[in-house]
Amino acid sequence: MIVIPLYLAFFLTRRQSDRIALPFGFITIVACFALLIAINALFNLDANLGVTLLGAKVWLFYIPLVAVVSAFLSTREDLVRLLRTFVVMGWIPCTVGLLMWAGAVSYDYKEAVEFVYGDFARRATQNFAAFQIGESRIYRIPGTFQFAAQYAMFCMFMIIPALMLGRLEGRGGWRIFSFVSLALFIAASLTSGSRGAFLHLPFLFVVLGILRLGFGRGANVLLLFALLVFGAIVVWQFDQSAIFDHVAELAAANGKYFVIGGVVYAIEHAGVWGSGVGTGTVAARHLLSDTDVFLVAIENYYAKAWMELGLLGFLLIVALFVYLALLGIHLAGRIRDNALRDVTLIAVGMVVFIAYMNGRGWPLDQDPMAYYFWVMIGLMFKIVRLPEASAVPRQVRPGLQPFPRHSLARR
């Protein structure tokens, strides 16, 4: 209902090719991946056609958003407007989610979610799942999404455009709003019911700090603010020692059973060539009957690639993320404007973060990350082409101000 009309408007209303910035390496990897999916589908014609088509759609359908966003951005102002839209709209799910959490903590968990979701609340919260960790109680909060995991991933992602806007925004009111929004998104992430958020957010901040060591000049305040907000919320609301001990144990178990175990399982059961497009896509369960193909939904994006497309699919997915991260760093090095350079590096941080999250789930198989990720990739590709990206900042010695030419002429 959103993406298809957007694609039609983009491809049918005007010529866009001269405004699109798509690197050749990216086009090559995506083309190889699409070809592999087509060949895999042809060799599995006896499989469930609906499952095959759905699997192909989940892999490829949102990638053209890279071209749409690349064509949309022509100036720094376009970029600022896009980021403002992201951040403003992010308030809706996060505010609803925080109100649900406040109701769960101060009143009743079940009634707080049912107030918004009605009978669907049980499914959206995994049967009202809650975890007692030390003195802390963690509730599954769905925000405005079908499932709590989608909401948690959305909250963590929204930190990215908030950081970008805070670095790029020139108006004082909007800049303050970006800081307030950043605090809101961190709070929503930590109260979403995702125990991994206590590990994922520090990982994201550390990655962003490392990326900036050799480049930008002005995002340190943003990162410091984010870390202070994260620490303040954890100290104020949670049993810190119990939470981090629990998360460490959970991370070790996930590494063994999902990150490594998932890939090993896919190799053992799908072989070199994979079991067919869609057979590892969790949404395909809606198209299967008891007599249809066997579906294996491993909570590991790389394992899913191997399960469906074999060794070649796994290698292409790994190559795509390595390429995007290295290309983003290269593009940032070409940008002379410090703020735009930092925004590009924040986009690189998002790529690394999603590559990390892929080992524990399928963020790119679920809304809204299925399209938000590719929107940010289009943004990363285009920033270096903006007119302001190549501008050289003027260096003025302290105490001296340059005279305009017309004033000198009058003298």
Side-chain angles (χ1 to χ4, degrees):
M1 296 297 293
I2 297 173
V3 177
I4 290 177
L6 175 63
Y7 286 169
L8 290 175
F10 176 74
F11 288 110
L12 297 180
T13 57
R14 59 185 297 182
R15 184 172 177 267
Q16 305 282 359
S17 59
D18 57 335
R19 293 157 52 91
I20 298 174
L22 297 182
F24 178 76
F26 174 75
I27 296 173
T28 301
I29 294 175
V30 171
C32 290
F33 195 71
L35 180 62
L36 177 62
I37 290 174
I39 294 172
N40 186 284
L42 288 175
F43 278 92
N44 289 278
L45 290 176
D46 56 338
N48 184 306
L49 179 60
V51 169
T52 301
L53 293 176
L54 179 62
K57 177 261 182 188
V58 169
W59 280 118
L60 300 172
F61 183 69
Y62 297 104
I63 296 178
L65 284 169
V66 176
V68 175
V69 175
S70 179
F72 167 74
L73 296 176
S74 297
T75 64
R76 180 182 178 131
E77 287 70 26
D78 292 336
L79 176 58
V80 171
R81 284 197 297 269
L82 180 63
L83 293 174
R84 286 175 181 173
T85 302
F86 265 114
V87 174
V88 169
M89 296 305 295
W91 274 70
I92 299 173
C94 292
T95 301
V96 172
L98 284 169
L99 290 174
M100 281 185 186
W101 173 78
V105 170
S106 60
Y107 179 57
D108 183 81
Y109 175 34
K110 184 172 180 290
E111 292 189 23
V113 182
E114 285 182 339
F115 180 78
V116 178
Y117 278 77
D119 294 337
F120 193 77
R122 186 173 299 276
R123 290 181 60 188
T125 58
Q126 289 181 301
N127 198 24
F128 300 104
F131 310 94
Q132 188 68 40
I133 305 173
E135 299 297 322
S136 303
R137 192 162 180 81
I138 307 291
Y139 302 96
R140 290 286 197 218
I141 301 295
T144 58
F145 293 90
Q146 294 184 18
F147 195 60
Q150 291 172 284
Y151 171 64
M153 194 66 225
F154 170 83
C155 294
M156 287 184 277
F157 167 77
M158 286 307 303
I159 292 170
I160 299 297
L163 286 170
M164 290 178 171
L165 184 63
R167 182 65 183 98
L168 201 59
E169 185 59 67
R171 296 186 180 182
W174 277 103
R175 186 169 176 79
I176 294 172
F177 177 74
S178 69
F179 276 82
V180 174
S181 301
L182 179 58
L184 176 80
F185 300 147
I186 293 172
S189 300
L190 294 175
T191 58
S192 65
S194 170
R195 294 166 291 174
F198 295 89
L199 174 65
H200 304 329
L201 292 187
F203 175 85
L204 174 61
F205 298 144
V206 168
V207 167
L208 292 173
I210 292 173
L211 285 171
R212 292 200 60 262
L213 285 177
F215 289 95
R217 299 289 186 273
N220 294 326
V221 173
L222 280 165
L223 292 177
L224 179 60
F225 176 76
L227 286 170
L228 289 175
V229 170
F230 174 86
I233 294 172
V234 171
V235 170
W236 168 60
Q237 187 59 43
F238 299 99
D239 184 342
Q240 306 95 53
S241 60
I243 285 285
F244 287 110
D245 286 346
H246 177 79
V247 169
E249 294 174 2
L250 185 65
N254 288 341
K256 178 179 179 181
Y257 295 108
F258 292 101
V259 179
I260 298 174
V263 175
V264 171
Y265 183 90
I267 294 171
E268 292 176 347
H269 289 78
V272 175
W273 303 110
S275 59
V277 180
T279 56
T281 301
V282 66
R285 69 188 187 279
H286 300 297
L287 303 175
L288 296 175
S289 65
D290 294 337
T291 59
D292 274 321
V293 297
F294 183 59
L295 176 67
V296 180
I298 306 171
E299 291 189 38
N300 181 324
Y301 197 68
Y302 306 110
K304 178 207 165 186
W306 194 306
M307 178 62 66
E308 294 193 9
L309 302 169
L311 173 62
L312 292 177
F314 172 82
L315 293 177
L316 281 172
I317 286 296
V318 172
L320 175 64
F321 278 92
V322 171
Y323 172 79
L324 290 175
L326 295 179
L327 176 66
I329 294 173
H330 171 71
L331 293 176
R334 292 170 50 193
I335 298 173
R336 297 185 178 184
D337 181 273
N338 291 331
L340 290 174
R341 183 190 302 126
D342 281 340
V343 170
T344 303
L345 289 171
I346 293 170
V348 177
M350 181 213 65
V351 172
V352 176
F353 180 67
I354 296 299
Y356 155 79
M357 292 296 295
N358 282 344
R360 180 56 186 85
W362 326 279
L364 300 187
D365 279 14
Q366 299 172 333
D367 292 341
M369 284 307 301
Y371 44 89
Y372 280 180
F373 176 80
W374 298 112
V375 167
M376 284 293 171
I377 296 303
L379 179 153
M380 184 178 77
F381 287 165
K382 190 59 180 289
I383 289 178
V384 72
R385 301 285 189 90
L386 299 181
E388 299 86 349
S390 58
V392 181
R394 292 200 306 172
Q395 301 294 329
V396 179
R397 288 187 297 169
L400 296 178
Q401 297 297 327
F403 289 102
R405 289 185 178 180
H406 59 82
S407 63
L408 292 174
R410 284 198 300 268
R411 293 187 181 185

